[in-house]
Amino acid sequence: HQCLAYKHAPLYHDTLLFSTCKAKNRYVSAWDTGRFDRMGLRERPQSHLALPQERNPLQAADSHKKYYIESKQKETFLMVLNIAMDGPVGAGKSSIADAVAKRLGILHLDTGAMYRAIGLTALEKGVPVQDEQAVTALCQALSMTVGHAADGQHTLVDGRDVTGFIRTPEVSMAASTVAKYAGVRAAMVALQRRLAQETPMLVDGRDIGTRVLMNAPVKIFLTASAEERARRRYQEMVNKGMDANFDDVLRDLRARDEQDMHRAVDPLRAAEDAVTVDSTNLTFDEVVEAILRIVADKTGGAWA
Ligand code: DC
């Protein structure tokens, strides 16, 4: 096992990292790099995590504990905090995950965007999404990159930023279909694990707690009633000036729930050690606070 440290992603350039490591119950600021050398870490955390620029770096370094260091067989391991968040479509995962990650000063990885990018690519290349073999071959041939900039996550396929094209209803349905295929999932799970081991992040999806990050110290299952989820999605579309019909939204949402929960490979379900948060009767801020309390609780207050 190697010492894990930050690796620069291409889009991180103008961002900063402030980290505090826990070594044998001592907290060590990442600024104090000399200590890292003395602790024998081969790599040092580099400066690059997305934190709001207006924040005082030293305060941020004090209040955010990004790494856990564990001593094992005389080797020092630097471990990265990962939070797994799963739940059905429309539970507010993406925006809640964004808010929670921001409060903790860590990145948010939206894995749904990755399945969407594959769905989009299949549609654009005229590969039938129902054709498992063809979609799997397409997925194995393409190169996907995920990076984070000040305005959030960017998902790239063969170097092209597809972020602006993956939120249409057609792509949503295509994503749900391609996400059923074992070959597609294997490729995405591998990429997600690689990203999460390099950087402290909150990862949101359907199988994060049950498969991608089975050992994540914090697992959240965020849900809400189907009607409430449809109502929110409908409102969101209306607010964006889109042509929306509530019954269609509810029907699509139930169809996607059905497909996501009943597929053979890694269906959507709560991990046994996940804490369920039902947001049906909670405001946005209440959900964020509830999750932050769970994070603080599960990390012994280290990430309060
Ligand atoms: O969260 P989302 O709506 O952007 O996800 C798009 C589709 O991808 C959704 O139908 C479920 C699927 N998905 C998945 O199977 N596993 C994940 N980790 C994330 C999303």
Side-chain angles (χ1 to χ4, degrees):
H1 205 84
Q2 82 283 26
C3 157
L4 303 175
Y6 270 86
K7 305 250 186 332
H8 275 271
L11 290 163
Y12 285 147
H13 284 318
D14 54 350
T15 57
L16 292 164
L17 158 77
F18 312 108
S19 71
T20 308
C21 300
K22 191 179 181 189
K24 294 179 182 156
N25 296 324
R26 278 181 312 143
Y27 288 107
V28 183
S29 163
W31 301 110
D32 190 1
T33 47
R35 286 227 203 137
F36 281 85
D37 288 338
R38 291 197 291 281
M39 290 188 306
L41 300 184
R42 277 170 297 227
E43 291 178 79
R44 292 181 199 158
Q46 304 291 315
S47 59
H48 84 101
L49 185 90
L51 274 181
Q53 298 290 323
E54 68 272 13
R55 288 183 63 165
N56 175 329
L58 294 174
Q59 276 178 5
D62 272 348
S63 60
H64 296 278
K65 282 90 185 174
K66 303 280 182 270
Y67 295 98
Y68 288 76
I69 296 177
E70 202 183 88
S71 243
K72 209 170 169 190
Q73 294 170 341
K74 295 202 179 95
E75 265 202 81
T76 306
F77 294 81
L78 185 67
M79 288 174 52
V80 170
L81 177 71
N82 290 146
I83 300 173
M85 186 185 288
D86 294 297
V89 55
K93 266 191 307 128
S94 262
S95 45
I96 294 287
D98 265 344
V100 171
K102 200 167 182 180
R103 285 279 294 275
L104 294 169
I106 63 175
L107 295 178
H108 164 210
L109 178 67
D110 170 6
T111 60
M114 299 163 77
Y115 292 97
R116 286 171 180 273
I118 293 170
L120 172 78
T121 307
L123 294 176
E124 283 181 347
K125 296 208 163 161
V127 173
V129 290
Q130 302 298 342
D131 184 338
E132 174 165 0
Q133 252 188 330
V135 172
T136 305
L138 171 78
C139 173
Q140 282 158 357
L142 60 77
S143 126
M144 188 178 293
T145 326
V146 178
H148 289 79
D151 63 346
Q153 175 169 323
H154 288 254
T155 310
L156 284 73
V157 175
D158 294 327
R160 171 179 161 239
D161 189 346
V162 297
T163 309
F165 309 103
I166 56 177
R167 301 284 157 198
T168 65
E170 292 73 28
V171 174
S172 298
M173 213 55 221
S176 179
T177 302
V178 303
K180 289 193 291 191
Y181 305 145
V184 171
R185 300 203 70 81
M188 292 302 103
V189 169
L191 177 54
Q192 290 155 17
R193 284 184 179 153
R194 194 155 55 68
L195 292 166
Q197 76 162 11
E198 290 174 351
T199 310
M201 48 173 72
L202 187 162
V203 184
D204 101 68
R206 302 292 190 286
D207 59 339
I208 311 305
T210 53
R211 177 160 183 89
V212 179
L213 304 175
M214 280 165 68
N215 298 321
V218 187
K219 296 182 184 178
I220 310 284
F221 193 78
L222 182 63
T223 189
S225 72
E227 289 73 18
E228 176 60 18
R229 291 185 284 126
R231 196 191 60 71
R232 290 178 194 167
R233 183 58 45 111
Y234 170 77
Q235 197 55 51
E236 200 177 283
M237 292 169 83
V238 170
N239 291 349
K240 282 187 190 157
M242 290 163 77
D243 198 12
N245 173 299
F246 179 80
D247 293 334
D248 290 347
V249 173
L250 181 59
R251 195 198 54 227
D252 281 3
L253 183 137
R254 288 204 159 116
R256 279 220 283 153
D257 273 359
E258 185 67 21
Q259 187 151 273
D260 293 345
M261 290 191 302
H262 295 106
R263 66 173 176 234
V265 189
D266 294 333
L268 168 68
R269 63 184 176 81
E272 269 169 32
D273 51 348
V275 181
T276 295
V277 176
D278 185 335
S279 73
T280 308
N281 298 308
L282 298 179
T283 64
F284 185 88
D285 290 342
E286 285 170 340
V287 176
V288 171
E289 293 305 325
I291 292 173
L292 288 171
R293 275 197 301 275
I294 295 164
V295 174
D297 185 43
K298 293 278 179 185
T299 60
W303 289 73

